[in-house]
Amino acid sequence: MNSAGHSEATAPRGLELTPFRGLRYDPDRVGSLAAVTSPPYDVVVRPDGLHHLQDADPYNIVRLILPQAGTAAARNEQAAATLRRWLSEGVLAADPEPALYVYEQRHSDGVLQRGVIGALRVSEPSAGVVLPHEDVMPHVVADRAALMRATHANLEPLLLTYRGDGAAADVVDRSTERPPLLSTATEDGYHHRLWSITDPAEVARVQGGLSPHQALIADGHHRWATYRRLRAEHGSPSPWDHGLVLLVDTARYPLRVRAIHRLLHGLPVADALSRVEGLFRVRRLTGPLPEALDALADAACAGNAFLLAGDGAFHLLDRPDPALLARTVPADRPEAWRSLDATVLHMTLLAHVWHVPDDDPSRIAYIHDTAATVEKAQHDGATAVLLHPVREDVVRDLARQGVTMPRKSTSFGPKPASGLVLRALDL
């Protein structure tokens, strides 16, 4: 029997969320809760950002999710040893009973996001319960799997979205009327609060409200693929049957969707432009970044468009040659996929025009922050490729058809802060 009271044979075929004993920081043992949090591991891409987090507090979660040592094996053992030490010292402690956790993020600009954190039963894409919408890079999955094996823990939750009937979201909202387990504000302007749901009746209401639904992976494709790999390795039943997630009902709390940009190492802007001559319309823009992004948004309304930067100016690429697209974009996919900017970028520009492998970290980096992408391109003599975000309904429709977008096509947010609640698999 599982904690929801169902045998494996009769378990719901939709989302199955299970309470767990969360690991949380003891606020008396750290400088502040804000100082030990971090963005998700794949958002911390700049060394100065990593060092800033490490310096914020000796117990910052980045020491677990992005350990710094010579080899991959050494890094993973370092993270495992650090986790063991923090547990033995009481820096991290397990809550006394299993719970689902209500998590709220609020920003002064009006953003309010609420969801529920729990251990979600891992399923294959063919089950149609958790829908991926992006491809993954095998080496990243291998890296995350090695870290999870070493620590025997889910160190940060994935972000999943579903469109519910309000039953689970009603429990989530009612929970926020109670005093929270923790409350903290991070330097990005977000205020974070966490509550626990331990009452069996309330837990059952959340589980019942989720069970008819499917979820879209908003952030965490590589970690979900890692959950699937580790479950297959360990067999069932085992603690690896479940993985740590945050589920947000976007019918009530819509997420923001932003683009993830590309940084092309070893490709100066001049070379990138010379190779697209005659294949795209190219216009040089002289205004600041906000004006260039407005021009990109206008062009994206009419078709595929990209903004190149790195030489002190911005260059708008649009109106691709139809014959070029016909030669390079696979014809066996839905038109919504064929017309994606990310599809044209990866299939046409990266693969056929610029010859940049999209899975080689020495040739390409994926960066969420627009200004940081431009700044790094200018510093390194590289090319920044800025994209316009795709709409959530397009993402969801393609995912329901089983069609995945090119890797790192979207950035949903706000993303959950890492370090507020962890899941140890041996509790």
Side-chain angles (χ1 to χ4, degrees), residues 8-9 30 58 107 121 134 140 157 192 203 210 218 238 271-272 289 294 305 315 322 349 351 380 393 406:
E8 186 67 22
V30 298
H107 197 277
R121 181 170 291 279
E134 291 182 355
V140 177
H192 309 261
V203 169
L210 293 174
S238 83
D271 290 351
L289 177 59
D294 287 343
H315 308 271
L349 285 168
D380 296 351
D393 61 319

Side-chain angles (χ1 to χ4, degrees), residues 95-334:
D95 284 333
E97 57 183 324
L100 299 177
Y101 295 87
V102 169
Y103 177 44
E104 177 188 273
Q105 292 165 277
R106 186 187 295 269
H107 197 277
S108 58
D109 64 6
V111 171
L112 172 63
Q113 178 171 288
R114 289 174 180 163
V116 59
I117 296 174
L120 185 69
R121 181 170 291 279
V122 177
S123 60
E124 295 300 310
S126 59
V129 176
V130 175
L131 306 175
H133 69 270
E134 291 182 355
D135 295 331
V136 298
M137 293 175 274
H139 74 275
V140 177
V141 176
D143 173 76
R144 291 294 100 183
L147 178 64
M148 288 189 204
R149 285 191 207 99
T151 58
H152 212 67
N154 300 151
L155 300 173
E156 48 185 349
L158 285 65
L159 175 60
L160 306 183
T161 74
Y162 72 102
R163 298 191 66 80
D165 58 9
D170 286 344
V171 177
V172 166
D173 286 345
R174 283 199 302 272
S175 299
T176 65
E177 298 170 1
R178 298 185 277 106
L181 294 174
L182 64 85
S183 177
T184 190
T186 47
E187 59 185 17
D188 59 1
Y190 279 96
H191 194 89
H192 309 261
R193 295 197 294 173
L194 193 75
W195 296 260
S196 63
I197 302 175
T198 56
D199 178 77
E202 292 287 85
V203 169
R205 289 188 187 97
V206 172
Q207 292 173 323
L210 293 174
S211 63
H213 297 291
Q214 57 185 186
L216 175 73
I217 301 177
D219 185 66
H221 282 81
H222 289 92
R223 283 168 285 164
W224 184 255
T226 299
Y227 290 170
R228 290 169 45 215
R229 173 182 290 195
L230 293 171
R231 185 195 62 165
E233 288 178 3
H234 290 82
S236 296
S238 83
W240 300 98
D241 287 341
H242 296 79
L244 186 63
V245 305
L246 166 65
L247 277 160
V248 174
D249 185 347
T250 54
R252 187 166 299 191
Y253 297 106
L255 272 67
R256 291 180 171 178
V257 187
R258 293 188 170 94
I260 302 176
H261 309 299
R262 277 65 170 158
L263 179 68
L264 308 184
H265 304 298
L267 181 65
V269 174
D271 290 351
L273 291 173
S274 68
R275 297 184 197 179
V276 299
E277 187 175 351
L279 301 176
F280 283 74
R281 183 176 69 167
V282 180
R283 288 177 285 165
R284 188 176 190 272
L285 309 177
T286 57
L289 177 59
E291 290 183 11
L293 292 175
D294 287 343
L296 174 62
D298 290 341
C301 291
N304 300 120
F306 309 93
L307 198 62
L308 304 192
D311 63 349
F314 298 101
H315 308 271
L316 182 63
L317 274 59
D318 66 354
R319 298 186 183 178
D321 177 11
L324 172 68
L325 299 184
R327 290 196 310 270
T328 57
V329 177
D332 61 346
R333 305 286 182 90

